[in-house]
Amino acid sequence: MNRIFSGIQPTGNLHLGNYLGAIKNWVELQHQFESIYCVVDLHAITVPQDPVLLRTSTIEVTASLLAAGIDPKQAIIFNQSRVPQHAELAWIFNCVARLGWLNRMTQFKEKAGKNRENASVGLFAYPALMAADILAYKATHVPVGEDQKQHLELTRDIAGAFNAMVDEEFFPLPEPQILGQATRVMSLRDGSSKMSKSDQSDYSRINLNDDADTISQKIRKAKTDPDPLPETMEGLNDRPEARNLVTIYAALADCSSQEVLTEFAGKGFGVFKPALVDVAVEKLAPVTSAMRQYMDDQSYVLSVLDEGAERAHAIARPIMQDIRERLGFLGHSLG
Ligand code: AQP
């Protein structure tokens, strides 16, 4: 059976990168697979979090998923810390994964930066928890943005090492699904860094709760170059900011980047940016307004998370019990 698992951190406002790289695909996939979508609060605390903000962000992110079109009757939506099997399996995977494997993870290097000695052990072990998230449900497919590809490869390595240890094809080797036009949306201020919630500048990203004026201002101020748009994508090879805006347009308008260039070749950003504003506002305004409605009905959002946690737990618990038996742990977990 095919089953999808994917997660998103409640670490602030969701942005266009999260939407185009992940959530938009999740909405489509929920009809093709049994889907489990998780607000990964255990991942969030790998860096310091304010408890009040973490709680609010968890509700906001859930509201965004609902607003984007994820149907809680179809897909399971819950927050990670409610289902204790994630943390339990993560510990087991900490004992399966090798230090050398984790040492290669580029996200840790980027996030720890120069202050590596002061990074939390949790930030280093983040990919083992991500492997546990996926494999606690024996998920077969994982829709993610390109930045998560390396972590997915590690998940496959961990699954393979565990299978070898118990001498059985216990876990599937989950397949990454890197889908859509915009698998890596870049910052609006710098075409060489990824659009990210934790970027200091709010002008680097379009948040899913930005209003039309804010979206317009951010796109108008986006870094570009003085040249007109070329006829083919090869012409954008050394123009990362221009390429990013063309890709965003294509992903929002559900067409190819080439079709965008066919329409705008020879035109400058004075023409292209207002057109991009129009398509961004048209596509995002319904999500933003639905999100506001969900935020006005937080008891509904909480009930979605409650029900999702029960459904997720019902899948993960027996899988975890099988794992416990294979490892020789005595008795049932109380979680
Ligand atoms: N810029 C992006 N382009 C395409 N996809 C992206 N994703 C994130 N940024 C982009 C995808 O969104 C999903 C959820 O990501 P996440 O919130 O769990 O963590 P992240 O990748 O660390 O996102 P941020 O915004 O960079 O968060 P911070 O700043 O808190 O670390 C994933 O599928 C991811 O690929």
Side-chain angles (χ1 to χ4, degrees), residues 109-135:
K109 289 179 196 156
E110 279 162 25
K111 290 206 169 176
K114 293 198 181 84
N115 209 1
R116 196 186 151 107
E117 291 298 307
N118 210 25
S120 73
V121 174
L123 189 66
F124 185 70
Y126 184 114
L129 175 58
M130 180 165 155
D133 299 337
I134 297 162
L135 296 171

Side-chain angles (χ1 to χ4, degrees), residues 226-267:
D227 295 340
L229 284 168
E231 284 178 6
T232 62
M233 286 304 280
E234 288 74 58
L236 291 176
N237 279 348
D238 299 319
R239 299 171 64 188
E241 285 84 12
R243 169 180 276 271
N244 190 36
L245 294 188
V246 169
T247 311
I248 290 174
Y249 188 110
L252 284 168
D254 282 317
C255 64
S256 69
S257 300
Q258 185 52 55
E259 284 172 300
V260 179
L261 290 183
T262 305
E263 189 179 342
F264 289 98
K267 302 201 170 97

Side-chain angles (χ1 to χ4, degrees), residues 2-306:
N2 287 328
R3 181 180 282 157
I4 275 187
F5 180 95
S6 199
I8 192 151
Q9 296 192 71
T11 42
N13 285 327
L14 295 191
H15 51 72
L16 192 63
N18 298 130
Y19 180 66
L20 296 176
I23 300 168
K24 190 167 178 276
N25 301 322
W26 297 5
V27 174
E28 283 157 30
L29 292 165
Q30 68 181 331
H31 303 295
Q32 298 161 34
F33 293 83
E34 180 188 7
S35 304
I36 306 173
Y37 299 132
C38 186
V39 183
V40 289
D41 46 8
L42 295 175
H43 282 279
I45 62 158
T46 54
V47 296
Q49 298 293 337
D50 175 322
V52 175
L53 290 182
L54 184 62
R55 228 170 271 138
T56 311
S57 276
T58 303
I59 297 172
E60 267 173 7
V61 168
T62 310
S64 311
L65 299 183
L66 296 170
I70 292 174
D71 173 2
K73 293 278 167 262
Q74 183 94 19
I76 296 177
I77 308 177
F78 73 109
N79 60 311
Q80 188 185 25
S81 61
R82 298 286 300 276
V83 178
Q85 283 72 20
H86 290 251
E88 188 178 356
L89 187 55
W91 176 255
I92 292 165
F93 287 166
N94 280 341
C95 302
V96 172
R98 306 289 96 187
L99 269 183
W101 302 355
L102 287 163
N103 268 332
R104 286 197 290 273
M105 296 297 111
T106 52
Q107 182 173 293
F108 175 73
K109 289 179 196 156
E110 279 162 25
K111 290 206 169 176
K114 293 198 181 84
N115 209 1
R116 196 186 151 107
E117 291 298 307
N118 210 25
S120 73
V121 174
L123 189 66
F124 185 70
Y126 184 114
L129 175 58
M130 180 165 155
D133 299 337
I134 297 162
L135 296 171
Y137 302 92
K138 294 194 174 177
T140 53
H141 294 78
V142 186
V144 281
E146 219 170 83
D147 58 319
Q148 293 300 323
K149 200 169 162 210
Q150 193 185 35
H151 287 166
L152 242 297
E153 278 158 16
L154 189 85
T155 298
R156 291 166 62 90
D157 289 343
I158 290 176
F162 184 93
N163 290 349
M165 202 170 89
V166 299
D167 199 18
E168 183 187 345
E169 289 304 304
F170 185 82
F171 288 123
L173 302 188
E175 295 284 344
Q177 290 183 299
I178 300 177
L179 303 168
Q181 300 276 337
T183 55
R184 188 172 173 81
V185 177
M186 308 309 280
S187 156
L188 299 180
R189 310 299 295 164
D190 170 8
S192 66
S193 57
K194 161 182 111 115
M195 187 176 284
S196 166
K197 299 186 207 90
S198 50
D199 195 311
Q200 298 279 326
S201 163
D202 198 50
Y203 274 85
S204 69
R205 62 183 162 262
I206 293 172
N207 300 311
L208 288 191
N209 60 0
D210 282 344
D211 59 22
D213 279 350
T214 312
I215 293 176
S216 169
Q217 270 183 40
K218 286 179 175 177
I219 291 178
R220 282 164 202 275
K221 286 197 178 195
K223 187 176 168 197
T224 41
D225 55 48
D227 295 340
L229 284 168
E231 284 178 6
T232 62
M233 286 304 280
E234 288 74 58
L236 291 176
N237 279 348
D238 299 319
R239 299 171 64 188
E241 285 84 12
R243 169 180 276 271
N244 190 36
L245 294 188
V246 169
T247 311
I248 290 174
Y249 188 110
L252 284 168
D254 282 317
C255 64
S256 69
S257 300
Q258 185 52 55
E259 284 172 300
V260 179
L261 290 183
T262 305
E263 189 179 342
F264 289 98
K267 302 201 170 97
F269 286 96
V271 173
F272 182 70
K273 280 184 172 178
L276 178 58
V277 170
D278 287 347
V279 71
V281 170
E282 184 199 323
K283 296 287 172 161
L284 297 180
V287 179
T288 312
S289 96
M291 194 181 151
R292 292 213 179 96
Q293 284 171 15
Y294 284 116
M295 286 310 285
D296 286 341
D297 190 2
Q298 293 194 14
S299 59
Y300 172 71
V301 177
L302 293 172
S303 74
V304 165
L305 289 173
D306 279 346

